[in-house]
């Protein structure tokens, strides 16, 4: 799922977008940034007519950059393997650029995000948010409201999630068909340079050629050794999203995005939760200060306990009247600590790339821990460290940033390159969110990451924070729990990271994300005007609180020198 994937920027991503960022990444005028395409949720009747003239220009431009071009030597200008959000975003942008495009899908359109991730999980979280509010008697009374006992229909809640996924899946399919994208059903395999074979069981395979190929096969839940999955009492997020039951007591292995969101759902519906975390602290992927506050707000007041610094070395499903058994060992010494007996266990230990069977061996490509190696332009690298011409990999399969909207942005970036326009995506400008109640969002570096970079490059980091308790809109809704945190360079005002915990944090983060993408400095964005009273004023106060040593202000509309 989008917010539940392992959201950690890989070393290669930080190298291209972080510490030793290229001049293009640091200079607003030199970086063209992609975002999640609105068409994913748009009305299927919307049409964008391909422009043949644009294709001619694109091919001419591509020829000057050494791309393979031609008029009729290939079946398609672009073939995409995988019809998730990343593949969909790339396909729609390719059509806009006048490219003849096909997309191959062996499962269902929408991939993990739509069918087993972002979309159905948000439906469940919408339910948990309302249930949590209705059960909060103090909160309701503070607003002058009286609510009788609230309940829920488990099957109706599950149907809500399933119906939403079906609707979005249909929208994605219809939008591609309406634009002329060929949807080819089957499992795609690369059989040689610019050649793909696809097919499904019981039918003969077909082979097609393409000027360019994008791998967008996504990921699957990662299940550590020793854990037996039965899909009923021991399961992954794929199973949990069906909400076939609400256990009285459930253990959640992993306290990242997946684990946090499901703890929000299960506790709101009446379950008791036990976290099992291998590292010494909960929420290890978050900024430490945000994680500490999140624990105080999202975990301590709820029916949640936790074990940190331990591995679940073995998990046995419930059977023959016995509960689920979880054997815990010390993460450092590997000695047995205790055995938990619970009603169910959710395995939320991250995701693994789905790259088997792609035929990468046919083009001398070797995966790294299952991930397809790529450069900063998402071009696939072979075993000798050379770029494989006309082959790209986006999304979870390359491991740079396992988020649905990152996959879409990478796909759009690739299409820009195929069309003859060089483009490098700044991964540090891509936001992430955890849709708990309240929400958590972030973009850029955490404070430890920023200080490590500052030590290496010799600049000073400063941090400012503002509280939701000082925001009129948050107080009007009696939702004052939360903070916003800005990490920036004191000498230049460059925004290095922003982290928010609070009401609608997932919506608020984009102002900071766009500022990083465009190279806007705090001394400029502090003059932006925000409507009053709105939650956006949390960021307004945050930017105004920042102090820059240089005293040099740059116009928002003018490029800032690197």
């Amino acid at each position: 799922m989008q917010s539940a994937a392992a959201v950690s920027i890989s070393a290669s991503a930080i190298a291209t977008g972080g510490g030793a960022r290229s001049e293009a990444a640091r200079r607003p005028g030199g970086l063209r940034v992609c975002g999640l395409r609105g068409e994913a949720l748009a009305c299927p009747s919307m049409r964008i007519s391909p422009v043949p003239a644009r294709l001619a220009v694109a091919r001419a431009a591509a020829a000057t950059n050494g791309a393979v071009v031609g008029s009729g030597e290939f079946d398609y200008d672009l073939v995409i393997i995988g019809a998730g959000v990343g593949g969909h975003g790339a396909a729609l942008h390719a059509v806009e650029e006048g490219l003849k495009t096909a997309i191959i899908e062996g499962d269902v359109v929408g991939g993990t995000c739509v069918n087993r991730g972002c979309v159905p999980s948000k439906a469940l979280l919408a339910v948990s948010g309302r249930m949590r509010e209705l059960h909060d008697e103090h909160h309701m009374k503070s607003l002058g409201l009286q609510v009788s006992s609230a309940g829920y229909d488990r099957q109706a809640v599950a149907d809500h999630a399933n119906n939403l996924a079906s609707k979005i899946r249909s929208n994605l399919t219809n939008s591609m068909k309406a634009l002329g994208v060929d949807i080819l059903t089957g499992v795609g395999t690369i059989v040689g340079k610019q050649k793909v074979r696809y097919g499904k069981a019981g039918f003969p395979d077909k082979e097609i050629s393409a000027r360019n190929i994008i791998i967008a096969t996504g990921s699957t839940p990662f299940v550590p050794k020793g854990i037996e999955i039965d899909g009923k009492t021991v399961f992954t997020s794929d199973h949990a999203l069906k909400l076939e039951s609400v256990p009285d007591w459930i253990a959640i292995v992993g306290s990242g995005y997946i684990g946090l969101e499901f703890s929000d759902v299960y506790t709101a519906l009446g379950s008791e939760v036990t976290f099992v975390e291998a590292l010494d602290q909960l929420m290890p992927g978050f900024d430490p200060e945000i994680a500490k506050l999140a624990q105080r707000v999202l975990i301590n007041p709820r029916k949640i306990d936790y074990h940190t610094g331990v591995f679940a070395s073995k998990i046995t499903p419930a059977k023959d009247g016995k509960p689920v058994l979880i054997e815990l060992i010390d993460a450092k010494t590997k000695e047995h600590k205790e055995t938990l007996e619970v009603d169910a266990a959710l395995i939320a230990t991250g995701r693994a790339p789905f790259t088997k069977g792609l035929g990468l061996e046919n083009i001398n490509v070797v995966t790294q821990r299952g991930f397809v190696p790529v450069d900063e332009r998402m071009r696939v690298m072979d075993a000798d460290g050379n770029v494989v011409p006309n082959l790209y990999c986006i999304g979870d399969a390359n491991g740079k940033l396992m988020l649905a909207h990152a996959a879409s942005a990478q796909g759009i970036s690739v299409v820009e390159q195929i069309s003859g326009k060089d483009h490098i995506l700044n991964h540090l400008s891509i936001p992430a969110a955890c849709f708990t109640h309240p929400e958590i969002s972030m973009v850029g570096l955490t404070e430890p990451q920023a200080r490590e970079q500052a030590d290496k490059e010799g600049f000073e980091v400063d941090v400012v924070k503002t509280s939701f308790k000082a925001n009129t809109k948050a107080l009007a809704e009696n939702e004052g729990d939360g903070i916003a945190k800005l990490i920036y360079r004191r000498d230049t005002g460059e925004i290095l990271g922003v982290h928010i915990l609070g009401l609608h944090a997932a919506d608020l983060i984009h102002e900071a994300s766009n500022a990083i993408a465009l190279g806007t400095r705090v001394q400029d964005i502090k003059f932006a005007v925000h409507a009053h009273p709105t939650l956006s004023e949390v960021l307004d106060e945050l930017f105004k609180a920042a102090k820059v040593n240089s005293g040099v202000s740059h116009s928002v509309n003018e490029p800032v020198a690197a």
Side-chain angles (χ1 to χ4, degrees), residues 278-294:
L279 297 181
D280 291 333
Q281 62 180 31
L282 295 174
M283 295 168 276
F286 295 83
D287 180 89
E289 188 173 12
I290 295 295
K292 185 176 180 180
L293 177 60

Side-chain angles (χ1 to χ4, degrees), residues 347-516:
I347 311 307
T349 46
R351 301 187 65 83
F354 183 63
T355 53
K356 289 184 179 179
L358 274 173
L360 296 174
E361 65 279 2
N362 297 325
I363 49 175
N364 191 33
V365 173
V366 178
T367 61
Q368 300 171 359
R369 294 180 295 111
F371 295 105
V372 177
V374 296
D375 67 3
E376 62 182 1
R377 290 175 173 82
M378 308 302 124
R379 298 178 298 190
V380 174
M381 310 297 290
D382 66 17
D384 300 318
N386 301 314
V387 170
V388 180
N390 310 98
L391 180 63
Y392 304 83
C393 180
I394 64 173
D396 290 4
N398 70 33
K400 278 187 173 289
L401 195 56
M402 300 178 80
L403 295 167
H405 50 281
S408 182
Q410 290 173 359
I412 294 168
S413 178
V414 167
V415 171
E416 286 288 282
Q417 296 168 57
I418 290 172
S419 302
K421 295 164 285 188
D422 192 29
H423 186 281
I424 297 176
L425 180 65
N426 180 4
H427 285 78
L428 285 178
S429 71
I430 298 176
C434 185
F435 294 85
T436 46
H437 297 89
E439 296 172 343
I440 309 172
S441 63
M442 67 291 297
V443 66
L445 303 176
T446 63
E447 185 175 344
Q449 288 172 337
R451 295 198 181 280
E452 180 181 357
Q453 180 178 317
D455 289 341
K456 290 180 180 179
E457 299 185 16
F459 62 84
E460 184 180 356
V461 167
D462 211 344
V463 176
V464 293
K465 291 167 277 189
T466 56
S467 172
F468 277 68
K469 286 182 170 64
N471 181 267
T472 302
K473 182 69 180 298
L475 293 177
E477 301 196 25
N478 277 332
E479 296 284 356
D481 285 335
I483 64 169
K485 177 178 181 178
L486 167 67
I487 306 161
Y488 68 102
R489 285 185 61 152
R490 183 177 267 276
D491 57 345
T492 65
E494 179 186 1
I495 299 171
L496 301 176
V498 174
H499 303 262
I500 308 172
L501 185 152
L503 185 64
H504 295 302
D507 299 308
L508 294 174
I509 196 64
H510 297 93
E511 182 175 6
S513 171
N514 290 335
I516 292 175

Side-chain angles (χ1 to χ4, degrees), residues 291-313:
K292 185 176 180 180
L293 177 60
Q295 181 172 333
R296 194 165 74 234
V297 174
L298 300 174
I299 294 178
N300 294 349
R302 301 177 181 178
K303 293 181 179 179
I304 300 176
D305 65 355
Y306 51 88
H307 300 266
T308 57
V310 295
F311 283 121
S313 61

